[in-house]
Tab-separated table of all heavy atoms in Angstrom:
chain	number	residue	atom	x	y	z
A	1	VAL	N	0.894	-1.220	-0.034
A	1	VAL	CA	0.013	0.021	0.024
A	1	VAL	C	0.860	1.253	-0.033
A	1	VAL	O	0.591	2.201	-0.723
A	1	VAL	CB	-0.953	-0.005	1.214
A	1	VAL	CG1	-1.669	1.336	1.407
A	1	VAL	CG2	-2.032	-1.084	1.035
A	2	GLY	N	1.963	1.213	0.758
A	2	GLY	CA	2.900	2.340	0.795
A	2	GLY	C	3.523	2.633	-0.531
A	2	GLY	O	3.580	3.712	-1.050
A	3	MET	N	3.923	1.516	-1.246
A	3	MET	CA	4.494	1.684	-2.594
A	3	MET	C	3.497	2.212	-3.572
A	3	MET	O	3.831	3.069	-4.400
A	3	MET	CB	5.005	0.316	-3.084
A	3	MET	CG	6.228	-0.233	-2.413
A	3	MET	SD	6.889	-1.721	-3.130
A	3	MET	CE	5.919	-2.939	-2.250
A	4	PHE	N	2.240	1.709	-3.447
A	4	PHE	CA	1.230	2.177	-4.392
A	4	PHE	C	0.899	3.683	-4.159
A	4	PHE	O	0.787	4.437	-5.123
A	4	PHE	CB	-0.028	1.321	-4.228
A	4	PHE	CG	-0.825	1.100	-5.446
A	4	PHE	CD1	-0.590	0.059	-6.273
A	4	PHE	CD2	-1.882	1.969	-5.782
A	4	PHE	CE1	-1.310	-0.086	-7.419
A	4	PHE	CE2	-2.610	1.831	-6.919
A	4	PHE	CZ	-2.357	0.744	-7.769
A	5	LEU	N	0.752	4.050	-2.886
A	5	LEU	CA	0.517	5.471	-2.576
A	5	LEU	C	1.705	6.338	-3.056
A	5	LEU	O	1.444	7.452	-3.576
A	5	LEU	CB	0.219	5.695	-1.134
A	5	LEU	CG	-1.111	5.341	-0.562
A	5	LEU	CD1	-1.176	5.481	0.900
A	5	LEU	CD2	-2.171	6.173	-1.230
A	6	ALA	N	2.881	5.896	-2.844
A	6	ALA	CA	4.064	6.634	-3.274
A	6	ALA	C	4.059	6.852	-4.819
A	6	ALA	O	4.387	7.935	-5.314
A	6	ALA	CB	5.368	5.947	-2.866
A	7	ALA	N	3.709	5.790	-5.533
A	7	ALA	CA	3.644	5.894	-7.002
A	7	ALA	C	2.494	6.803	-7.469
A	7	ALA	O	2.659	7.596	-8.415
A	7	ALA	CB	3.446	4.541	-7.604
A	8	LEU	N	1.335	6.692	-6.827
A	8	LEU	CA	0.257	7.558	-7.206
A	8	LEU	C	0.476	9.028	-6.913
A	8	LEU	O	0.063	9.900	-7.705
A	8	LEU	CB	-1.033	7.158	-6.346
A	8	LEU	CG	-1.743	5.939	-6.836
A	8	LEU	CD1	-2.905	5.597	-5.830
A	8	LEU	CD2	-2.413	6.162	-8.243
A	9	THR	N	1.147	9.393	-5.796
A	9	THR	CA	1.293	10.712	-5.354
A	9	THR	C	2.645	11.329	-5.792
A	9	THR	O	2.787	12.523	-5.709
A	9	THR	CB	1.196	10.881	-3.877
A	9	THR	OG1	2.240	10.140	-3.224
A	9	THR	CG2	-0.183	10.354	-3.375
A	10	GLY	N	3.589	10.490	-6.106
A	10	GLY	CA	4.961	11.012	-6.450
A	10	GLY	C	5.783	11.338	-5.125
A	10	GLY	O	6.862	11.875	-5.224
A	11	LYS	N	5.252	11.010	-4.032
A	11	LYS	CA	5.914	11.193	-2.734
A	11	LYS	C	6.646	9.925	-2.353
A	11	LYS	O	6.255	8.830	-2.700
A	11	LYS	CB	4.931	11.604	-1.584
A	11	LYS	CG	4.085	12.743	-1.898
A	11	LYS	CD	4.932	14.053	-1.927
A	11	LYS	CE	3.967	15.210	-2.132
A	11	LYS	NZ	4.676	16.413	-2.346
A	12	ARG	N	7.803	10.073	-1.612
A	12	ARG	CA	8.623	8.875	-1.341
A	12	ARG	C	8.411	8.387	0.099
A	12	ARG	O	8.600	7.211	0.375
A	12	ARG	CB	10.072	9.148	-1.598
A	12	ARG	CG	10.311	9.441	-3.077
A	12	ARG	CD	11.689	9.629	-3.467
A	12	ARG	NE	12.438	8.421	-3.253
A	12	ARG	CZ	13.737	8.359	-3.148
A	12	ARG	NH1	14.449	9.378	-3.330
A	12	ARG	NH2	14.340	7.188	-2.991
A	13	GLY	N	8.016	9.222	1.026
A	13	GLY	CA	7.742	8.755	2.383
A	13	GLY	C	9.085	8.344	3.142
A	13	GLY	O	8.984	7.396	3.870
A	14	LEU	N	10.143	9.011	2.848
A	14	LEU	CA	11.395	8.552	3.470
A	14	LEU	C	11.807	9.364	4.701
A	14	LEU	O	12.840	9.016	5.316
A	14	LEU	CB	12.489	8.632	2.447
A	14	LEU	CG	12.262	7.744	1.173
A	14	LEU	CD1	13.417	7.950	0.173
A	14	LEU	CD2	12.156	6.307	1.560
A	15	ARG	N	11.058	10.401	5.070
A	15	ARG	CA	11.487	11.254	6.162
A	15	ARG	C	10.455	11.265	7.292
A	15	ARG	O	9.276	11.400	6.988
A	15	ARG	CB	11.710	12.654	5.653
A	15	ARG	CG	12.788	12.837	4.683
A	15	ARG	CD	12.909	14.211	4.158
A	15	ARG	NE	12.782	15.171	5.262
A	15	ARG	CZ	13.561	16.215	5.387
A	15	ARG	NH1	14.462	16.493	4.468
A	15	ARG	NH2	13.395	16.993	6.464
A	16	SER	N	10.941	11.090	8.537
A	16	SER	CA	9.976	11.045	9.648
A	16	SER	C	9.346	12.423	9.912
A	16	SER	O	8.313	12.483	10.565
A	16	SER	CB	10.724	10.529	10.893
A	16	SER	OG	11.753	11.468	11.284
A	17	ASP	N	9.998	13.483	9.493
A	17	ASP	CA	9.474	14.868	9.718
A	17	ASP	C	8.621	15.355	8.623
A	17	ASP	O	8.285	16.506	8.559
A	17	ASP	CB	10.625	15.840	10.044
A	17	ASP	CG	11.545	15.963	8.874
A	17	ASP	OD1	11.541	15.099	7.919
A	17	ASP	OD2	12.372	16.982	8.894
A	18	SER	N	8.228	14.478	7.705
A	18	SER	CA	7.364	14.881	6.606
A	18	SER	C	5.904	15.098	7.086
A	18	SER	O	5.557	14.858	8.228
A	18	SER	CB	7.401	13.808	5.502
A	18	SER	OG	7.005	12.604	6.054
A	19	THR	N	5.084	15.646	6.180
A	19	THR	CA	3.720	15.923	6.532
A	19	THR	C	2.795	15.352	5.500
A	19	THR	O	3.236	14.938	4.382
A	19	THR	CB	3.481	17.448	6.591
A	19	THR	OG1	3.812	17.988	5.328
A	19	THR	CG2	4.265	18.061	7.726
A	20	GLY	N	1.479	15.303	5.776
A	20	GLY	CA	0.469	14.861	4.868
A	20	GLY	C	0.663	13.418	4.436
A	20	GLY	O	1.005	12.518	5.176
A	21	ILE	N	0.438	13.222	3.150
A	21	ILE	CA	0.484	11.824	2.572
A	21	ILE	C	1.873	11.252	2.644
A	21	ILE	O	2.001	10.053	2.804
A	21	ILE	CB	-0.073	11.793	1.079
A	21	ILE	CG1	-0.343	10.378	0.646
A	21	ILE	CG2	0.856	12.518	0.192
A	21	ILE	CD1	-1.472	9.682	1.298
A	22	GLU	N	2.837	12.083	2.588
A	22	GLU	CA	4.226	11.617	2.704
A	22	GLU	C	4.474	10.979	4.114
A	22	GLU	O	5.138	9.951	4.225
A	22	GLU	CB	5.247	12.734	2.443
A	22	GLU	CG	6.620	12.178	2.206
A	22	GLU	CD	7.479	13.106	1.335
A	22	GLU	OE1	7.117	14.242	1.133
A	22	GLU	OE2	8.576	12.589	0.952
A	23	LYS	N	3.830	11.571	5.166
A	23	LYS	CA	3.984	11.007	6.480
A	23	LYS	C	3.212	9.621	6.577
A	23	LYS	O	3.728	8.701	7.191
A	23	LYS	CB	3.406	11.967	7.487
A	23	LYS	CG	3.654	11.541	8.942
A	23	LYS	CD	4.248	12.626	9.748
A	23	LYS	CE	4.717	12.171	11.088
A	23	LYS	NZ	5.848	12.843	11.531
A	24	VAL	N	2.086	9.564	5.922
A	24	VAL	CA	1.334	8.313	5.877
A	24	VAL	C	2.198	7.237	5.177
A	24	VAL	O	2.322	6.102	5.712
A	24	VAL	CB	-0.001	8.521	5.110
A	24	VAL	CG1	-0.652	7.198	4.887
A	24	VAL	CG2	-0.904	9.452	5.867
A	25	ILE	N	2.812	7.544	4.109
A	25	ILE	CA	3.653	6.602	3.398
A	25	ILE	C	4.784	6.149	4.270
A	25	ILE	O	5.211	4.937	4.368
A	25	ILE	CB	4.183	7.153	2.043
A	25	ILE	CG1	2.962	7.400	1.148
A	25	ILE	CG2	5.195	6.307	1.411
A	25	ILE	CD1	3.273	8.288	-0.097
A	26	TYR	N	5.442	7.161	4.942
A	26	TYR	CA	6.553	6.852	5.894
A	26	TYR	C	6.121	5.865	6.904
A	26	TYR	O	6.799	4.886	7.185
A	26	TYR	CB	7.002	8.175	6.554
A	26	TYR	CG	8.017	7.915	7.631
A	26	TYR	CD1	9.334	7.776	7.356
A	26	TYR	CD2	7.637	7.890	8.967
A	26	TYR	CE1	10.277	7.578	8.344
A	26	TYR	CE2	8.575	7.651	9.988
A	26	TYR	CZ	9.872	7.470	9.691
A	26	TYR	OH	10.770	7.259	10.648
A	27	TRP	N	4.916	6.072	7.576
A	27	TRP	CA	4.481	5.193	8.641
A	27	TRP	C	4.052	3.793	8.045
A	27	TRP	O	4.184	2.833	8.805
A	27	TRP	CB	3.340	5.847	9.420
A	27	TRP	CG	3.933	6.821	10.378
A	27	TRP	CD1	3.908	8.159	10.298
A	27	TRP	CD2	4.643	6.492	11.554
A	27	TRP	NE1	4.589	8.746	11.362
A	27	TRP	CE2	5.079	7.701	12.191
A	27	TRP	CE3	5.030	5.299	12.198
A	27	TRP	CZ2	5.788	7.764	13.348
A	27	TRP	CZ3	5.737	5.367	13.407
A	27	TRP	CH2	6.117	6.589	13.952
A	28	LEU	N	3.519	3.738	6.854
A	28	LEU	CA	3.253	2.487	6.297
A	28	LEU	C	4.540	1.707	6.067
A	28	LEU	O	4.566	0.492	6.412
A	28	LEU	CB	2.541	2.662	4.866
A	28	LEU	CG	1.082	3.156	4.940
A	28	LEU	CD1	0.636	3.556	3.530
A	28	LEU	CD2	0.208	1.997	5.479
A	29	TYR	N	5.543	2.330	5.558
A	29	TYR	CA	6.834	1.667	5.391
A	29	TYR	C	7.462	1.245	6.716
A	29	TYR	O	7.931	0.149	6.856
A	29	TYR	CB	7.867	2.508	4.635
A	29	TYR	CG	7.586	2.701	3.169
A	29	TYR	CD1	8.107	3.837	2.520
A	29	TYR	CD2	6.877	1.823	2.418
A	29	TYR	CE1	7.910	4.047	1.159
A	29	TYR	CE2	6.669	1.992	1.030
A	29	TYR	CZ	7.166	3.147	0.447
A	29	TYR	OH	6.950	3.309	-0.894
A	30	LEU	N	7.474	2.127	7.675
A	30	LEU	CA	8.042	1.821	8.931
A	30	LEU	C	7.328	0.735	9.701
A	30	LEU	O	7.972	-0.254	10.125
A	30	LEU	CB	8.113	3.110	9.873
A	30	LEU	CG	8.717	2.898	11.257
A	30	LEU	CD1	10.164	2.585	11.093
A	30	LEU	CD2	8.517	4.150	12.060
A	31	SER	N	6.012	0.766	9.754
A	31	SER	CA	5.301	-0.307	10.440
A	31	SER	C	5.368	-1.625	9.697
A	31	SER	O	5.467	-2.663	10.341
A	31	SER	CB	3.804	0.127	10.678
A	31	SER	OG	3.212	0.573	9.518
A	32	GLY	N	5.360	-1.569	8.344
A	32	GLY	CA	5.586	-2.734	7.606
A	32	GLY	C	6.953	-3.370	7.788
A	32	GLY	O	7.050	-4.627	7.946
A	33	GLY	N	7.934	-2.528	7.905
A	33	GLY	CA	9.293	-2.986	8.146
A	33	GLY	C	9.443	-3.606	9.506
A	33	GLY	O	10.089	-4.692	9.644
A	34	ILE	N	8.850	-3.020	10.508
A	34	ILE	CA	8.938	-3.566	11.855
A	34	ILE	C	8.210	-4.906	11.940
A	34	ILE	O	8.736	-5.924	12.484
A	34	ILE	CB	8.411	-2.583	12.878
A	34	ILE	CG1	9.380	-1.370	13.015
A	34	ILE	CG2	8.198	-3.236	14.248
A	34	ILE	CD1	8.769	-0.218	13.787
A	35	LEU	N	7.015	-4.985	11.342
A	35	LEU	CA	6.231	-6.178	11.424
A	35	LEU	C	6.861	-7.335	10.650
A	35	LEU	O	6.877	-8.457	11.070
A	35	LEU	CB	4.761	-5.976	10.877
A	35	LEU	CG	3.711	-5.708	11.896
A	35	LEU	CD1	2.355	-5.488	11.181
A	35	LEU	CD2	3.562	-6.805	12.867
A	36	SER	N	7.487	-7.002	9.503
A	36	SER	CA	8.117	-8.071	8.731
A	36	SER	C	9.385	-8.526	9.442
A	36	SER	O	9.645	-9.734	9.415
A	36	SER	CB	8.508	-7.554	7.277
A	36	SER	OG	9.492	-6.526	7.373
A	37	THR	N	10.047	-7.705	10.246
A	37	THR	CA	11.191	-8.147	10.974
A	37	THR	C	10.707	-9.141	12.089
A	37	THR	O	11.362	-10.196	12.319
A	37	THR	CB	11.894	-6.983	11.621
A	37	THR	OG1	12.355	-6.060	10.568
A	37	THR	CG2	13.174	-7.411	12.423
A	38	VAL	N	9.623	-8.801	12.717
A	38	VAL	CA	9.062	-9.665	13.744
A	38	VAL	C	8.589	-10.994	13.161
A	38	VAL	O	8.997	-12.088	13.653
A	38	VAL	CB	7.781	-9.082	14.418
A	38	VAL	CG1	7.046	-10.031	15.247
A	38	VAL	CG2	8.233	-7.842	15.222
A	39	ALA	N	7.963	-10.944	12.011
A	39	ALA	CA	7.476	-12.203	11.331
A	39	ALA	C	8.647	-13.060	10.868
A	39	ALA	O	8.643	-14.265	11.088
A	39	ALA	CB	6.578	-11.853	10.111
A	40	LEU	N	9.659	-12.475	10.260
A	40	LEU	CA	10.800	-13.241	9.724
A	40	LEU	C	11.631	-13.792	10.885
A	40	LEU	O	12.205	-14.853	10.709
A	40	LEU	CB	11.520	-12.382	8.711
A	40	LEU	CG	10.804	-12.123	7.448
A	40	LEU	CD1	11.534	-11.139	6.600
A	40	LEU	CD2	10.487	-13.405	6.709
């Protein structure tokens, strides 16, 4: 979902101090990364 939103909006979501949709993308990536680390 983060990748799809990033492609749709042109935002990368790579900074924790971002705002708006970029912050949403950032949190999707971060939470996905943490959960995948737990799962793996």
Side-chain angles (χ1 to χ4, degrees):
V1 168
M3 289 186 273
F4 212 89
L5 281 175
L8 281 172
T9 63
K11 305 292 183 187
R12 297 185 64 196
L14 300 178
R15 296 176 45 137
S16 62
D17 62 345
S18 57
T19 58
I21 192 69
E22 194 154 12
K23 185 130 190 146
V24 171
I25 295 166
Y26 172 83
W27 281 105
L28 287 167
Y29 288 156
L30 181 64
S31 50
I34 291 169
L35 263 180
S36 66
T37 302
V38 169
L40 292 173

